[in-house]
Amino acid sequence: MKKLLLAGGLLSLAAFSLPHPPVNKKHPQATDPNTTAEVPKDNKLVIYQLMTRLFGNKVALNKPYGTISENGCGKFNDITDKALDEIKALGVSHVWYTGVIEHATMTDYTSAGIPADDADVVKGRAGSPYAIKDYYDVAPDLAVTVKNRMSEYEALIKRTHDHGLKVLMDFIPNHVARSYKSDAKPLGVIDLGATDDKTKAFVPNNNFYYLPGKAFVVPANYNPLGPLKGPREDGKYFEMPAKATGNDVFTDAPSVNDWFETVKLNYGVDYVNGRQTHFEAVPDTWTKMRDILVFWAGKNVDGFRCDMVEMVPVEFWAWVIPELKKVKPDLVFIGEAYNPREYRTYLEKGHFDFLYDKVGLYDDLRKLMRQEGTTEDITKVWKEESNGFSSHMLRFLENHDEQRIASKDFATDPRRAIPAMAVTATLASGPVMLYFGQEVGEPANGVEGFSSEDGRTSIFDYWGVPEHQKWLNQGKFDGGKLSPEQKSLRDYYRRLLTLTSTSEAIRKGRFYELQDANNLGKEYNQRHLYTYLRYTDKQRLLIVVNFSADKTYKPVLTIPADAMTAMGLSTKKFYTYTDLLGEGEPRNALNVTLAPLSAHIFELKSR
């Protein structure tokens, strides 16, 4: 998110803890400046993120601020065996079901014991999936039969596993909806805030932060549904005393640009008094959040994408992740992180398996896709920003927070992802992620409601995703309504990600950049072209991409003697080069034609 425990018996904690795999420490720089001393780890998860509310929605009305009955809503049951077969066929290993946990919404489920929330503290008709209303329940929107919503989610988990795929879900640790109240908590669980001392701004064992004597004030210029009226919308919301807002705003009157619909959880950090920490005794919030994670681990999920992890003290993660791995050693923890200076801390001390590489590779590739940057930015990523722990960085070009590649606000042409996605998937041995609709060039056109026309697919509104719906094809999941260009783009993603998931060199090979070896070549424009090796003793790959949208290059590529030696190959022998992304015959020389927005992965073999 940017925009914007357990009673005994459910799952016992084992008496031992498996050690977290060590991240490479700072090491002597590799003697060759074109590579690093990092030993890659095979962490090549291929993750397919889908917004559960949107993925299976067949309704195409797309009325701004539309209700669930008007614009429709995808369900757990819409993610069918056929859908999972097709996701698996993309080379995917993990599915991240986004927006599963119950959150604040303007939709009324009073008949199921879940009344609509006050529109003055909800963003969007459907509500933000990061404003959690009950950590122990799933969103009623996602169920065909609301009273069976948990069993429908459990069936989806099983169905996903039956297709050889693993399940990731969100964990939102920093904040909850202002209306938070768990109706589904297990027997014996004490709700968040139930025992707080609300007369004090900060108490180490309080779950929330308070502003004693002050009532919460709804932002004066907040208009929840534009020309329409939401439930109980009157510019007022009773909260006394006011709680601190989710984005660390300690005022009773947050602005409309704050995360005013959420309240921040207290992990024992006294923000008002110089961020003093109170961790000597494990804070109550820590144990409550651990128990919530244990609850979901007991549903047989395989990992968690953890929201805004840097807004929670790293000491909590250092404690809770080993606690969960006592329960389920293979659980995966992915952290949404944005401060490169703290990456190593959250990996080593915090025990995260993976962190977002947004401020780094994503930002640099975005510039290249917009014809604004140079490939030198990629060099900086592997040489400096993630050197020593690149196997632990999750790479992507789209997710629910970022603009769609095909949007007018980003790159317009979805084909501009072709070279960038090749680099995203193959630069290192860490995970790669695809966001649903990316593979068919969804541009996120239109004003959905709360979400302006900002190049993003709304996470706040009920909506159909038009280009994705052409692949969905009323639940057939056969791409029957895709254009030839869309089918070609999706096939590229399939070939690339399948190769990514199966190639030994990509999964665990070392890296060697070839920019210095080629930048003096007559036809080699290093601003647009990027070339590197990934290799093991058994497989050697040469990857070359062209980021230019309009220029064809015909370089004769060079692999220097040092690189050949590093790969264990003789400079006196002859080799063939087969493009694993294409269907061409093996070639005997590296005189290649690099069309605009192209990517090639050549396998080297002795003749």
Side-chain angles (χ1 to χ4, degrees):
M1 171 178 177
K2 288 192 303 175
K3 195 167 177 182
L4 119 177
L5 145 141
L6 211 53
L10 282 177
L11 199 58
S12 61
L13 290 172
F16 63 90
S17 175
L18 295 182
H20 184 269
V23 176
N24 289 342
K25 303 291 184 182
K26 286 191 180 290
H27 48 72
Q29 183 64 39
T31 55
D32 188 329
N34 298 294
T35 187
T36 75
E38 179 179 349
V39 178
K41 299 173 184 174
D42 185 356
N43 290 335
K44 190 54 75 178
L45 285 59
V46 179
I47 301 169
Y48 189 84
Q49 182 195 1
L50 64 85
M51 185 70 189
T52 317
R53 181 201 298 153
L54 303 177
F55 180 82
N57 184 21
K58 306 177 187 69
V59 180
L61 176 64
N62 284 354
K63 174 183 175 183
Y65 299 104
T67 65
I68 190 170
S69 60
E70 291 171 325
N71 281 353
C73 181
K75 309 294 182 182
F76 293 128
N77 289 1
D78 289 326
I79 306 168
T80 62
D81 290 312
K82 173 63 172 173
L84 292 166
D85 278 340
E86 294 301 318
I87 291 171
K88 175 80 170 178
L90 285 171
V92 169
S93 61
H94 292 65
V95 184
W96 167 16
Y97 294 117
T98 305
V100 165
I101 300 177
E102 184 187 338
H103 56 269
T105 177
M106 296 187 205
T107 300
D108 192 352
Y109 291 99
T110 300
S111 60
I114 308 172
D117 288 281
D118 189 319
D120 292 300
V121 286
V122 181
K123 289 182 177 177
R125 175 81 74 175
S128 168
Y130 294 94
I132 298 302
K133 186 175 177 179
D134 188 346
Y135 276 121
Y136 288 101
D137 208 349
V138 298
D141 276 351
L142 305 180
V144 174
T145 305
V146 174
K147 68 178 181 179
N148 295 333
R149 58 192 179 277
M150 186 63 80
S151 62
E152 289 186 24
Y153 180 47
E154 291 168 343
L156 174 59
I157 294 171
K158 182 180 184 303
R159 191 159 62 248
T160 306
H161 286 156
D162 288 345
H163 286 264
L165 294 162
K166 293 189 176 183
V167 173
L168 303 174
M169 65 179 291
D170 290 292
F171 173 57
I172 299 89
N174 176 66
H175 49 269
V176 295
R178 291 199 178 269
S179 60
Y180 186 90
K181 184 180 185 302
S182 178
D183 299 316
K185 62 185 182 296
L187 188 66
V189 170
I190 298 173
D191 215 358
L192 287 167
T195 60
D196 280 5
D197 180 352
K198 299 179 183 180
T199 67
K200 295 183 174 65
F202 171 80
V203 175
N205 276 328
N206 274 0
N207 299 134
F208 300 115
Y209 297 95
Y210 297 93
L211 291 96
K214 295 183 178 180
F216 172 72
V217 180
V218 173
N221 53 344
Y222 183 50
N223 185 9
L225 292 180
L228 308 175
K229 277 287 185 183
R232 301 195 299 284
E233 180 186 346
D234 58 6
K236 300 175 184 177
Y237 180 77
F238 181 74
E239 182 180 281
M240 182 71 184
K243 301 183 185 77
T245 292
N247 59 324
D248 296 358
V249 173
F250 289 76
T251 175
D252 56 312
S255 81
V256 72
N257 296 317
D258 290 318
W259 303 349
F260 66 86
E261 82 281 18
T262 68
V263 292
K264 185 171 180 66
L265 286 166
N266 171 11
Y267 283 82
V269 180
D270 189 349
Y271 284 83
V272 177
N273 292 301
R275 295 180 177 248
Q276 295 176 16
T277 59
H278 299 261
F279 304 151
E280 296 78 13
V282 174
D284 183 70
T285 300
W286 289 27
T287 58
K288 282 185 166 67
M289 301 309 277
R290 177 202 64 194
D291 293 346
I292 289 163
L293 285 165
V294 171
F295 173 83
W296 291 109
K299 300 294 183 186
N300 208 23
V301 302
D302 301 288
F304 300 93
R305 176 271 187 188
C306 302
D307 190 66
M308 300 303 296
V309 300
E310 293 159 313
M311 297 185 78
V312 172
V314 70
E315 290 83 358
F316 166 72
W317 300 112
W319 175 81
V320 80
I321 291 177
E323 285 282 289
L324 265 292
K325 292 197 176 186
K326 294 175 186 176
V327 171
K328 194 171 181 180
D330 293 332
L331 275 174
V332 172
F333 281 84
I334 299 169
E336 179 192 17
Y338 297 101
N339 183 358
R341 293 186 299 275
E342 293 297 326
Y343 287 169
R344 190 178 294 274
T345 299
Y346 277 80
L347 289 169
E348 293 179 353
K349 183 177 180 179
H351 297 295
F352 274 95
D353 297 294
F354 309 109
L355 298 178
Y356 271 33
D357 193 357
K358 193 276 178 190
V359 182
L361 189 63
Y362 169 88
D363 284 348
D364 295 332
L365 291 175
R366 177 185 170 93
K367 287 187 291 184
L368 282 161
M369 284 188 281
R370 290 167 58 87
Q371 309 291 291
E372 295 171 352
T374 76
T375 60
E376 291 176 1
D377 296 324
I378 303 174
T379 302
K380 183 179 178 181
V381 170
W382 68 258
K383 186 172 282 191
E384 299 176 24
E385 292 178 355
S386 61
N387 189 354
F389 51 85
S390 67
S391 299
H392 296 271
M393 300 306 292
L394 168 64
R395 268 82 189 247
F396 54 83
L397 293 181
E398 286 189 1
N399 65 40
H400 67 280
D401 280 321
E402 308 302 337
Q403 291 174 326
R404 293 286 192 175
I405 296 160
S407 74
K408 59 182 174 58
D409 301 287
F410 188 163
T412 307
D413 184 348
R415 294 178 303 133
R416 293 195 180 188
I418 289 172
M421 195 66 194
V423 174
T424 298
T426 69
L427 189 69
S429 61
V432 60
M433 185 167 73
L434 182 71
Y435 189 40
F436 87 106
Q438 177 184 340
E439 70 273 33
V440 295
E442 170 58 41
N445 292 333
V447 179
E448 298 102 331
F450 176 82
S451 288
S452 58
E453 189 164 6
D454 60 1
R456 297 173 177 86
T457 295
S458 176
I459 65 170
F460 305 98
D461 305 282
Y462 297 112
W463 202 249
V465 184
E467 302 310 310
H468 165 73
Q469 287 180 328
K470 292 178 181 179
W471 172 74
L472 172 67
N473 195 14
Q474 291 299 310
K476 295 177 183 177
F477 297 100
D478 61 1
K481 297 182 180 179
L482 294 176
S483 69
E485 293 78 13
Q486 287 177 310
K487 290 179 180 178
S488 176
L489 182 67
R490 192 174 189 278
D491 183 62
Y492 168 74
Y493 278 98
R494 178 192 61 78
R495 287 182 284 114
L496 173 64
L497 295 178
T498 299
L499 178 60
T500 296
S501 65
T502 56
S503 163
E504 178 182 277
I506 296 172
R507 294 192 67 94
K508 58 184 180 181
R510 287 185 177 270
F511 168 88
Y512 195 105
E513 187 183 84
L514 297 179
Q515 295 297 86
D516 285 349
N518 288 280
N519 63 13
L520 297 179
K522 182 179 178 181
E523 278 281 321
Y524 197 89
N525 183 340
Q526 66 172 346
R527 291 182 59 84
H528 293 157
L529 306 183
Y530 191 69
T531 309
Y532 54 98
L533 302 166
R534 294 293 310 283
Y535 62 92
T536 65
D537 291 341
K538 296 180 180 178
Q539 187 180 40
R540 290 91 176 174
L541 300 180
L542 168 68
I543 298 148
V544 55
V545 299
N546 179 9
F547 285 100
S548 174
D550 55 16
K551 294 181 180 178
T552 296
Y553 295 99
K554 298 182 179 181
V556 178
L557 298 177
T558 297
I559 302 177
D562 286 348
M564 295 295 284
T565 300
M567 290 191 291
L569 299 180
S570 170
T571 58
K572 298 179 180 179
K573 292 185 177 180
F574 295 96
Y575 301 91
T576 61
Y577 310 91
T578 304
D579 189 353
L580 302 183
L581 283 180
E583 298 178 353
E585 294 296 316
R587 61 178 65 212
N588 294 325
L590 282 174
N591 51 335
V592 296
T593 298
L594 303 176
L597 303 177
S598 62
H600 304 269
I601 300 178
F602 295 106
E603 184 172 26
L604 284 68
K605 288 188 175 180
S606 296
R607 276 199 251 170

